[in-house]
């Protein structure tokens, strides 16, 4: 049974309105960085960590979005808790339409329990919120941070809520970025003129692709854009469908009858997958944007506040949680109150995250542009690249480890 964990503004919690750390955004990244800080700092300082979010927990728990997490992310989150409803991904099958190129990756090849996991957004947020309550972290939700500025007198961050209440902090962590198109000003923006069509479906998978009771995820590259099926149950039947394509084409597919949509999906996937049942369809715009500079005074951006990625490689949340883990390693309670030491630590954090962020951003951009292109020369190159990886275990392992663990994480 789920309970509602929700502190209203003005609730009886902390006697002071000043915190060592204030985190704006109570999605998975914001909650994780708060929980990890509480683990490291101990119970005496956990109450000096605050999290603010505009949405109430009950509303967020109903969010049905499916998240794809690497096994490395599961291990990182295990110190806080991990939803029992999460579904393991044992195998990943990558292929291209009208091509013999393919690559298959398995958890056993890497000595892992799973290559990744799927979990509903609401379930993950609920699990992490319970963890924060147990640790005594101060959580304000629903409440909207309307304005933020730096105090000229005390050189600290001031957060003003929608009702006029003010809180101060030594370190402000921005972890709220939303979807592509919802974020504020960014240093770099790449608009692919694509939308992602999403639905929950029941399918029949070609038995030749199944291994016992193991689950398998599919990534299928088509000329219009990538198509993914992610298992959301262990019965090898229920999947989350994510189909990326030009915006106008996606709108046409949203309007299709279930029968026509099923026939179209079969034409794209071939014999590997047959659609048996289609759930409600939805869509959202796709692109990438990111900040070059993560640090501004006593303020630092992580997760979707630092970068929003195209979902082609499923690495947005994994990258954001690596941001959070790196930041926690750089902070301690005394350091955040010393502005000079804090500035040094934040600059070192930004430098340490540069390689991993750039690698994932570039790889994601390459995958979108390289596999959503009908140029025959590029097509031949894609087929060769997939086949080389399929028959070269070392390359396949290196690619899988990049997606699982990142660089300089």
């Amino acid at each position: 049974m789920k309970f509602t964990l929700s502190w209203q503004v003005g609730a009886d919690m902390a006697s002071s309105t000043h915190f060592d750390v204030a985190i704006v955004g109570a999605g998975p990244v914001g909650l994780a960085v708060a929980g990890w800080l509480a683990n490291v700092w101990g119970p005496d300082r956990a109450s000096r960590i605050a999290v603010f979010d505009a949405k109430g927990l009950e509303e967020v728990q109903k969010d049905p979005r499916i998240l794809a997490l690497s096994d490395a992310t599961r291990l990182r989150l295990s110190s806080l808790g991990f939803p029992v409803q999460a579904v393991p991904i044992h195998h990943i099958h990558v292929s291209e339409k009208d091509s013999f190129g393919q690559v298959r990756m398995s958890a056993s090849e890497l000595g892992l329990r799973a290559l990744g996991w799927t979990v509903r957004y609401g379930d993950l947020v609920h699990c992490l919120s319970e963890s924060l309550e147990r640790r005594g972290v101060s959580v304000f939700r629903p409440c909207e941070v309307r304005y933020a500025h730096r105090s000229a007198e005390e050189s600290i961050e001031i957060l003003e809520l929608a009702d006029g209440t003010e809180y101060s902090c030594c370190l402000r962590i921005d972890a709220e970025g939303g979807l592509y198109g919802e974020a504020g000003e960014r240093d770099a923006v790449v608009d692919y003129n694509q939308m992602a069509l999403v639905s929950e479906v029941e399918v029949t998978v070609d038995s030749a692709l199944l291994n016992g009771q193991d689950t398998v995820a599919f990534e299928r590259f088509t000329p219009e854009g990538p198509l993914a099926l992610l298992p959301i149950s262990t019965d090898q039947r229920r999947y989350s469908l994510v189909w990326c394509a030009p915006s106008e084409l996606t709108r046409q597919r949203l309007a299709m009858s279930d029968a026509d949509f099923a026939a179209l999906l079969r034409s794209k996937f071939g014999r590997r997958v047959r659609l048996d049942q289609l759930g409600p369809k939805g869509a959202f715009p796709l692109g990438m944007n990111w900040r070059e500079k993560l640090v501004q005074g006593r303020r630092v951006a992580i997760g979707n506040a630092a970068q929003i990625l195209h979902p082609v490689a499923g690495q947005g949340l994994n990258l954001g949680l690596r941001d959070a883990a790196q930041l926690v390693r750089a902070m301690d309670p005394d350091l955040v109150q010393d502005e000079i030491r804090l500035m040094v630590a934040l600059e070192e954090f930004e430098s340490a995250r540069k390689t991993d962020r750039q690698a994932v951003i570039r790889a994601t951009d390459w995958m979108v542009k390289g596999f959503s292109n009908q140029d025959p020369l590029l097509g031949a190159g894609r087929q060769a690249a997939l086949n080389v990886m399929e028959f070269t275990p070392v390359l396949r392992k290196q690619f899988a480890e990049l997606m699982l663990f990142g660089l300089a994480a």
Side-chain angles (χ1 to χ4, degrees):
M1 171 183 278
K2 291 186 175 180
F3 65 92
T4 299
L5 175 66
S6 182
W7 287 272
Q8 305 286 338
V9 176
D12 181 21
M13 47 173 297
S15 59
S16 170
T17 58
H18 178 76
F19 295 94
D20 291 338
V21 177
I23 300 157
V24 181
V29 173
L31 295 172
V33 75
W36 288 333
L37 283 171
N39 282 351
V40 174
W41 291 8
D44 292 341
R45 299 299 290 264
S47 63
R48 308 304 304 148
I49 302 166
V51 182
F52 298 83
D53 197 89
K55 294 181 179 179
L57 182 59
E58 186 172 358
E59 176 187 357
V60 176
Q61 285 177 170
K62 297 175 182 177
D63 192 324
R65 281 180 292 167
I66 301 297
L67 303 175
L69 307 178
S70 71
D71 197 56
T73 292
R74 178 191 65 84
L75 291 171
R76 288 189 178 98
L77 290 174
S78 62
S79 64
L80 303 177
F82 196 68
V84 295
Q85 305 94 328
V87 175
I89 300 173
H90 300 112
H91 306 275
I92 298 176
H93 188 283
V94 183
S95 62
E96 182 174 11
K97 186 179 183 297
D98 299 325
S99 165
F100 292 109
Q102 66 175 12
V103 60
R104 292 165 292 184
M105 292 176 281
S106 69
S108 59
E109 184 179 42
L110 296 172
L112 298 174
R113 179 179 171 187
L115 286 172
W117 301 76
T118 60
V119 62
R120 294 189 186 279
Y121 184 95
D123 289 339
L124 181 58
V125 167
H126 173 75
C127 180
L128 294 176
S129 296
E130 285 185 322
S131 175
L132 262 60
E133 186 195 33
R134 291 193 299 270
R135 286 160 174 77
V137 173
S138 303
V139 179
F140 296 79
R141 64 184 317 164
C143 72
E144 180 185 356
V145 177
R146 184 68 58 85
Y147 305 107
H149 63 276
R150 184 162 178 162
S151 167
E153 296 82 13
E154 301 177 85
S155 186
I156 55 176
E157 287 284 314
I158 305 295
L159 306 181
E160 182 179 336
L161 307 186
D163 67 354
T165 306
E166 289 189 349
Y167 292 88
S168 62
C169 62
C170 297
L171 172 63
R172 171 184 166 186
I173 301 174
D174 290 334
E176 188 169 43
L179 299 172
Y180 173 76
E182 297 178 351
E185 185 177 343
R186 298 293 172 94
D187 298 313
V189 178
V190 182
D191 189 340
Y192 298 110
N193 189 31
Q194 288 185 338
M195 296 181 73
L197 184 153
V198 295
S199 180
E200 292 188 16
V201 301
E202 288 192 11
V203 305
T204 298
V205 177
D206 184 348
S207 60
L209 299 176
L210 298 175
N211 181 14
Q213 299 301 309
D214 287 358
T215 59
V216 56
F218 295 92
E219 182 94 24
R220 179 77 160 169
F221 293 105
T222 75
E224 301 91 9
L227 168 61
L229 284 170
L230 304 173
I232 55 175
S233 72
T234 57
D235 63 4
Q236 301 175 332
R237 293 270 297 160
R238 295 179 57 228
Y239 279 79
S240 171
L241 167 69
V242 183
W243 195 347
C244 305
S247 300
E248 183 55 36
L249 196 56
T250 298
R251 294 187 185 97
Q252 294 173 17
R253 291 169 178 171
L254 286 169
M256 282 182 171
S257 68
D258 287 0
D260 288 344
F261 187 85
L264 178 63
L265 184 64
R266 183 62 182 260
S267 74
K268 300 296 183 182
F269 247 116
R271 63 173 177 77
R272 294 175 176 84
V273 176
R274 184 187 73 229
L275 179 62
D276 298 322
Q277 185 173 333
L278 176 68
K281 300 192 294 286
F284 54 89
L286 297 176
M288 289 205 307
N289 57 53
W290 63 90
R291 297 178 185 270
E292 299 289 354
K293 186 73 175 171
L294 302 181
V295 176
Q296 183 178 3
R298 288 181 174 269
R299 176 180 175 184
V300 60
I302 62 174
N304 275 13
Q307 64 273 321
I308 293 177
L309 304 184
H310 190 288
V312 62
Q315 291 304 303
L317 180 55
N318 296 313
L319 184 63
L321 288 168
R322 294 201 295 269
D323 291 341
Q326 184 83 40
L327 183 61
V328 170
R329 288 195 290 268
M331 295 295 111
D332 69 59
D334 296 328
L335 181 148
V336 297
Q337 298 181 51
D338 185 325
E339 184 171 16
I340 294 177
R341 290 178 61 208
L342 177 62
M343 295 303 100
V344 171
L346 290 177
E347 291 297 331
E348 290 176 348
F349 159 78
E350 183 174 81
S351 178
R353 293 300 304 140
K354 186 174 182 179
T355 301
D356 188 24
R357 294 180 68 232
Q358 288 184 346
V360 174
I361 288 170
R362 288 172 181 169
T364 301
D365 187 55
W366 176 83
M367 290 179 72
V368 176
K369 293 176 178 176
F371 283 93
S372 301
N373 193 305
Q374 302 184 47
D375 185 301
L377 292 177
L378 280 175
R382 291 192 298 264
Q383 181 173 337
L386 289 175
N387 283 330
V388 167
M389 196 177 298
E390 170 72 358
F391 294 106
T392 310
V394 172
L395 290 178
R396 189 167 63 248
K397 183 174 184 290
Q398 288 176 345
F399 178 77
E401 287 177 344
L402 170 62
M403 294 297 99
L404 287 165
F405 304 109
L407 295 175

